[in-house]
Structures are given as C-alpha cells and as structure tokens.
Amino acid sequence: MTEPSTTPARPAGDDDRAVLADFAELSAIGATDAGGVERQAATDADARTRAWLTRWLHDRGFTTTTDRIGNLFGLREWVPGAPYVLVGSHLDSQPRGGRYDGAYGVLAAAHAAHRADRAFAASGTAPAFNVAVVDWFNEEGSRFKPSMMGSAVYTGKMDLEEAWAVTDTAGVTVKEALAAIGALGEQDGPRAAFAAEIHIEQGRILDREGVRIGLVESNWAAHKYQISVLGDQSHTGSTAMEDRRDALLGAARVIVALRELADRYPGVLHTSAGQIFVHPNSPVVVAREAQLHLDLRSADPDVLQEADALLDREFAAIEASTGVRIVKTGDHVWPVTPYQPEGVALARAAAEELGLSHRPMLTLAGHDSTHLKDIVPTVMLFVPSVEGVSHNEREFTRDADICAGVDLLTRVVQRLCTGALDGGRSR
Amino acid sequence: MTEPSTTPARPAGDDDRAVLADFAELSAIGATDAGGVERQAATDADARTRAWLTRWLHDRGFTTTTDRIGNLFGLREWVPGAPYVLVGSHLDSQPRGGRYDGAYGVLAAAHAAHRADRAFAASGTAPAFNVAVVDWFNEEGSRFKPSMMGSAVYTGKMDLEEAWAVTDTAGVTVKEALAAIGALGEQDGPRAAFAAEIHIEQGRILDREGVRIGLVESNWAAHKYQISVLGDQSHTGSTAMEDRRDALLGAARVIVALRELADRYPGVLHTSAGQIFVHPNSPVVVAREAQLHLDLRSADPDVLQEADALLDREFAAIEASTGVRIVKTGDHVWPVTPYQPEGVALARAAAEELGLSHRPMLTLAGHDSTHLKDIVPTVMLFVPSVEGVSHNEREFTRDADICAGVDLLTRVVQRLCTGALDGGRSR
C-alpha cells in the first residue's frame, strides 16, 4: 500500500485514453451547468445514454437485448448456451446528480468486456462463460421507488408486475415510461453465472487514506420505510395552538428525532429523511398529512434493530405531544450480507498483480451488486471519490483512478469468464 | 346576552329559507365527498361559483362588472355617480376547504343588498350611497400567494402587474388564469365609501360562549415570511453524518423551533409553517434546499417583534448545529389596526335591535376587510364556527346563526347606505 491514489498507476496508454474520451462523451449527455448530469430513469436523457451505450457495444461486436424491466444487456457469446458473467452498473442518475455514479461502472464494464474479448481472441484462450455488459434499470429510485429496481426484478426479489405498476409523481407508470423510451423488452435477460460491479466509493475512506481500490466485503444493513403522519387540516391563523394536530410539525419532529438517533451511535448508524410530501401544502393551512421516507443504515444489525425500537418509542412520544398519528405505510429491509469471500480473494490477487493499493471495505450505499450477490458469486470494487462527495454535481474521481479501476475490472472479468470461481455450481 | 346561539333567533321565514336554499346550491359547486368544497382561485370550480353568483345578481336587478384583478362586483346604483358600500367576502376556497369560509359572506352580502334594495323601494327611502356585492379574488392564497390578493390590489396595497405575474406551482400566472376563466376585467372596480363583511369565526370563542355575533374591533398583527434553508446535496447512505449539511433537517428544526416559540407565549402568539418545498426531494438524497413559509400572529405587536428576534437567534443556532444556511426570501407584515369604532358601534346597535347576543372580538385570520378598513370605514362581523374547525371539510355553522348573520348584515348595509357613518368624508 505504498502507492498513493493521487499518482498515476502507470503511464497512460491508448486504452486509458479511450476510457477517458468515452467517459467525456457519456458525461455530456444530460449534462448540467455545474458539472453533473440529470438523467433520471426512463427520461429522455436516460434514453439517449442507453442509445449511446448500445451503439458503442454494436460497434465492438456485442449484441444487445432489453429485458421486461428495461435492463439493457450487451452480450458477447463465446460459448453458445453457457451462462454469463454480468458486469455492469447503472446509467440513470439522481436529479442534479454526479457524472460518475453508475455511469462509470457501466463504461468500465463495457471496456473490461471488450478488452477481455480482445485478449481471448489474441491468446486463443477459450473462456468457460460468456460476458454481458449491463445497464441495470432505475438504480437511483428518485423517479420511481424503490431504488435498484432493475436488479431487484432480475434477481427475483421484486415482482415484475409490481415494479411495472410503480408511478412517478406525475402518475406515469414504470411500464408506460419504459414503453415511451422503447426499453420495454419482451424477454428475460441472460442467465447469470457470476457478477461484478465497479463504482465510486461515495464516501471518503479511500480518498483520505490514499488507497486506490476498495474490495467490498459486505454491505451495511438498511432499513427503509415510509410513514404517514396524520393530523387535522385547520387554519394557521385562527386555530388555537392547543387545538392543532399539525402533520408537518409531527413530521419535523420525526426528522429531528431520526438525526438524534444517528448522533447516539457515532459512525455506526446513518439515518436520513430525504423526501417529504405535505398535504395540502398551503401557506395558511395546518397540514393534514405528511408522508416521509426514512432511511436507517448500519453495519451492525443489532444497532439497526435497537434504532428501530428507539424510533418507535419516539413515534409514540411525538404522537402524544402533537396529537398526530404516525402510520407505517411501507417497509424495506436489506440485511448485512457478505460478498462471497472467494470473489474478494480473486479481486485482491488481481489488484496485487497490477500493483494497485487496496483495502477491504463495507458499502453503505446499496448497489445492484447487493442484489446480484444473493444469486451468484459477485465481486464489488470501489475507486476513490474525492472528499466523498456524491449525489451531487461536484462528485469527482481522478482520471488515474478511473483507469486503474478499469484495469482491475478487466482482470476480474477475465478470471470470472475463464472459470476461476467455478466450483461446478453455476453451469 | 341571554340568548344562546344554539336556539333559533326567531321563527324561520321565507327570507331564511331562501338563504339556506341558496347556500345549499352554492355548496354543491366543487363539493368534496367529505362535505367541504375545493374551489381554488381561478380554477374551473371557482369560475362556476362566480357564474352562479352572477346569474343570481342579474335575476335580482344587479349589474355586474369585473375589475383587472378579477374582483367580481354586483352593482345596484340608486344614486347615479355616488360611491358604493362594498359588502362581500370571497368565493374561492382552500384545497379541501370548508363550505362556509368566504362563500357564506358573499351569499350573505347578496341577500343583504337585495333585501336593502327591496326595503328602500317599499319605504320610498332615498339611500345616500349605492351598494356593491363583492367576490374578492383569491382571498385564500393557496394557489397564488399572497392571500387576500384581490382586496390588496383594489386598496392599492399590491401592485396590479406584480399580482398578475404571480405563478402557481405549474407556472401559470394570475393573469393567464384570470383570462382562462374570463375574469380578467378591463376597468377598475367601483369607488368605495364604506365596506362590510361577515365571516365565520374560524375559532371557538363564540361557539364556546354561546354568543351569536362577534363584533370585530381589530385584527391580530401577522408576520409572514419565506425562508430558504440551503444545504448540500449528498448520498443518504454513504455520506458520513458529520459531513452532511441537510436542508430538510434544517427546515425540520425551524418548524419545531417555531412551535416552541408559540408555546412560550400561550394564547398570545400563534405560529405555523404550512408549506414546504424540498429539492431534490428524492428518497436517497440529502436535500440541498428546503423552502418554508412561516406565519407568526399576535394581537400584541411587541410579542411579535420579540418572537421575530428569538426566531432569528434560533436560525443562527440551527445554522451552527446543522451547517445549513438560512436565507429570508420574502416578508410580509400586517400591523394591528383597529376597525373604525363608529362602525363597531353601528353594528352593536343593530345587533341589540335584533335581539342578537354579541361580543367584541379580534380576528386572528386575515380577511378582505382587513385591507378595506385601511381605506374606508369598515364593519366586520363574525358568526360562530362549531368547535372552531376551519380550513377543513368539517367546518360547520348552524342554520340559525347563518340566518341571524344575514339579518344583521342587512341592517348594517341599510344603515351604511343611508349614510349613518357619513361625516362628509367619503363623498
């Protein structure tokens, strides 16, 4: 670990220049003035990004297919009928999101698969598995909830019809939105043998430590749920304070309590409320209802459980002090589950061979690979995010780290395709 | 004051039956399932309510005119060229509002003016002033801010062009919305000599005390302002808690602080935040900005000033603890101003003559008469609201109180038209 991530991993070559040039092209689609992108799922900007990737893949001998939930696959079938190494991430972004989040992982996957294809052709090596570059649909979940929708449906964790029926705030369903951009496929995606994903860290650990690669061993557990805070609509001026049952005040107390909960477990528990809908949301009306999306995450399932119990007690106290009712309307739990240790070992060995500094990590954010690892052995890699900035137009990863990540992912994909992790399970 | 508001004021006659039948018709326009109405300013439901009133007025010999800001006037010109007694309220409602708020006052005004017209004709009395029934445009301010827009423009407190340029959340301007319902007049409204308004109390004082009429002596002062809470967009999962500058958390702390401020001055200070807009309002993104509309009211201007100062200190504390910035983006103050005492005395005498129990009151809510009283002597009357419920579909006022209010308003309008308050000022 003597090589800091701020220095080039090696002199830049044609492959690096191709990655950086493609990334610049990709980042121009849906670009915002402040250096980010806005490409929410199944919007026109998302469609143009997908079209860009499709052309790129076709130009390099891949075929493409789209499944029923809009996951886009670029296929290279070396072994007819064999299952696939799925390598990818997502092209959709948050509103005014960063240009690296997801898009880097898809582009890295495309380059890695293409380099592996060239290498197999050049060496005459016969891979054991095929490769598919994947753009998982709607990872961000900003337009359509929940996040990681495409990989959830692919892995059977979410019902297709249920996902199709989800609406955005304008009432457009996922199915309608997919059809509108021509991304509503009529078949399933390819069968998976293994999976891999590379992503920016979205935290500051690698950046602070000057380490180039994070080898993800596990995800944090997350408990996401929606609540409705129910009050009574009244006049902001004339209603006596003691007669009010103010849904927005109840929601505000929940948001504050949620933050205080995180402060009780410094570094161990992350909490947040990022979305609120208030009814009627009129300046002179005490709100009758507020809907909140709550998000609690920890690497320690016991802490998460304790936090849930404490929050329930807070809900009861808020109900008692404000007269509102708090009703849970949706609930979604990800447990702490490890990435397969043999995959981590494979990636570590590859990083060592390439001379890339590395460290084991957990992921606090959800990724498509969080779903994939539950059905096939999956490798998850991180590259540094400068200052940990993410879901923000200022998101930034250095070019040298971008290129090193593609190098490592290429080696991982090659190994997975040649069956390095194949204990006979997946064929 | 021996006669409780729950008993009929007198046996119901044809006039009462006409008021109640008309109110039932009016309440059917834009009716909601739960017994309220939804007729926000310049919507289709508002237009249908205005058309209903226009027909009612034409059928009884009134002419109608609409001014540039959409105030609808029903004119009865007994004395050519003389100024008018403006009697009215507003037909627009909150989203899922009550059926009495505003609409009762307009209907009462129409009946009072019509009865006065009949009485003058029958008795051969010559009034000194003309009468105009008024539907003041956009009193509620839910679709277009600020509230009491029509009366503000009429009284010269708000610039016409500025009011026209206000947009709703869909980007439609007031001018466009008025044109769309055919309510964009091309002239000014009639000149005022006096004004009168009757309204439900929207509080529980009359109901609790069993008093039938409130004689409004003054309004509470109000300080309304908008703030922007500015944070930094980041990832809800992976961003370290100490690195966050969460705009929604900052806004939540403001909402809680605002309520705690009211609790420091029990019964003396009302505070609320009824409207919030969050950006990007995505479930997995720490918000970069939250806009809040704050509302502080008190009968005591010193309390209001003290509360403003305390709130500024709270803002500084919230900025320090959460890393957000709080910026005031709009500001609107109504001072405490009395209704003219001679108008209160006139209304008191009329209530005594009719045997209606009464008491002096302040108004916590703003009304169109709050603006009118600053340009001409103005009478403001309240009838009881059962349990004080308002801006709510359950809003309710008993039929006997409805009818008693119209009787009193009729007598007040007659006196104002015959010049009972005319010290030569207004002609």
Side-chain angles (χ1 to χ4, degrees), chain B residues 289-306:
Chain B
E289 182 173 359
Q291 292 151 344
L292 270 180
H293 184 93
L294 309 182
D295 185 329
L296 291 85
R297 307 191 196 206
S298 178
D300 183 341
D302 293 340
V303 166
L304 207 58
Q305 207 174 351
E306 209 173 288

Side-chain angles (χ1 to χ4, degrees), chain B residues 88-400:
Chain B
S89 190
H90 60 95
L91 292 174
D92 73 315
S93 86
Q94 289 289 335
R96 298 208 209 164
R99 62 192 192 273
Y100 298 88
D101 183 353
Y104 165 60
V106 176
L107 186 69
H111 277 265
H114 176 53
R115 288 188 203 171
D117 188 33
R118 281 191 331 212
F120 289 138
S123 67
T125 317
F129 299 98
N130 299 307
V131 74
V133 176
V134 195
D135 166 31
W136 298 108
F137 175 68
N138 185 31
E139 194 273 348
E140 294 293 4
S142 53
R143 180 177 176 196
F144 299 105
K145 276 183 279 201
S147 56
M148 310 190 297
M149 181 181 278
S151 52
V153 171
Y154 177 86
T155 56
K157 295 184 169 198
M158 185 173 191
D159 180 66
L160 174 66
E161 299 278 347
E162 187 192 334
W164 274 350
V166 171
T167 52
D168 65 11
T169 53
V172 178
T173 65
V174 164
K175 191 174 184 184
E176 289 162 351
L178 284 173
I181 64 160
L184 186 65
E186 293 178 349
Q187 63 291 312
D188 291 331
R191 187 157 59 95
F194 301 98
E197 179 171 6
I198 193 164
H199 204 282
I200 58 165
E201 180 195 339
Q202 304 178 284
R204 55 167 76 202
I205 297 174
L206 294 175
D207 185 44
R208 196 171 50 210
E209 299 187 358
V211 172
R212 199 175 299 271
I213 298 292
L215 304 169
V216 181
E217 294 186 330
S218 175
N219 60 282
W220 276 35
H223 190 185
K224 297 183 174 192
Y225 50 101
Q226 288 186 269
I227 59 169
S228 261
V229 182
L230 302 170
D232 197 23
Q233 188 167 321
S234 64
H235 192 294
T236 54
S238 59
T239 311
M241 294 308 292
E242 63 271 22
D243 289 346
R244 299 180 187 207
R245 298 194 294 119
D246 182 340
L248 180 53
L249 176 67
R253 292 220 156 123
V254 168
I255 294 166
V256 171
L258 194 63
R259 170 67 200 215
E260 288 170 352
L261 203 53
D263 294 341
R264 289 175 69 145
Y265 299 93
V268 175
L269 177 68
H270 284 189
T271 67
S272 55
Q275 191 175 54
I276 186 170
F277 294 105
V278 177
H279 310 280
N281 210 32
S282 171
V284 292
V285 181
V286 175
R288 69 174 178 272
E289 182 173 359
Q291 292 151 344
L292 270 180
H293 184 93
L294 309 182
D295 185 329
L296 291 85
R297 307 191 196 206
S298 178
D300 183 341
D302 293 340
V303 166
L304 207 58
Q305 207 174 351
E306 209 173 288
D308 276 342
L310 287 169
L311 196 57
D312 274 340
R313 289 209 327 237
E314 283 296 332
F315 286 172
I318 291 165
E319 287 181 328
S321 68
T322 63
V324 301
R325 262 196 324 128
I326 299 175
V327 180
K328 290 187 188 173
T329 56
D331 194 281
H332 186 64
V333 177
W334 308 327
V336 173
T337 46
Y339 285 81
Q340 288 76 9
E342 63 271 28
V344 178
L346 181 153
R348 185 182 300 111
E352 294 285 343
E353 288 162 25
L354 291 167
L356 300 173
S357 58
H358 57 82
R359 59 160 286 165
M361 297 194 73
L362 301 177
T363 176
L364 287 85
H367 293 290
D368 295 304
S369 72
T370 327
H371 286 324
L372 269 299
K373 74 171 161 34
D374 294 340
I375 65 159
V376 290
T378 297
V379 174
M380 180 78 205
L381 306 172
F382 279 167
V383 291
S385 297
V386 173
E387 288 177 22
V389 172
S390 189
H391 285 188
N392 186 303
E393 294 162 294
R394 296 199 320 275
E395 192 180 79
F396 181 65
T397 291
R398 292 188 186 85
D399 287 351

Side-chain angles (χ1 to χ4, degrees), chain A residues 1-7 201 203-215 351 355-361 382-386 397-398 400-401 404 408:
Chain A
M1 299 209 191
T2 52
E3 175 241 350
S5 97
T6 47
T7 59
E201 180 195 340
R204 54 168 77 203
I205 297 172
L206 294 175
D207 184 44
R208 196 171 48 210
E209 298 186 358
V211 173
R212 199 174 300 268
I213 297 292
L215 305 168
L356 300 173
S357 57
H358 57 82
R359 58 159 285 167
M361 297 194 75
F382 280 167
V383 290
S385 298
V386 173
T397 290
R398 291 188 186 84
D401 296 330
L408 178 59

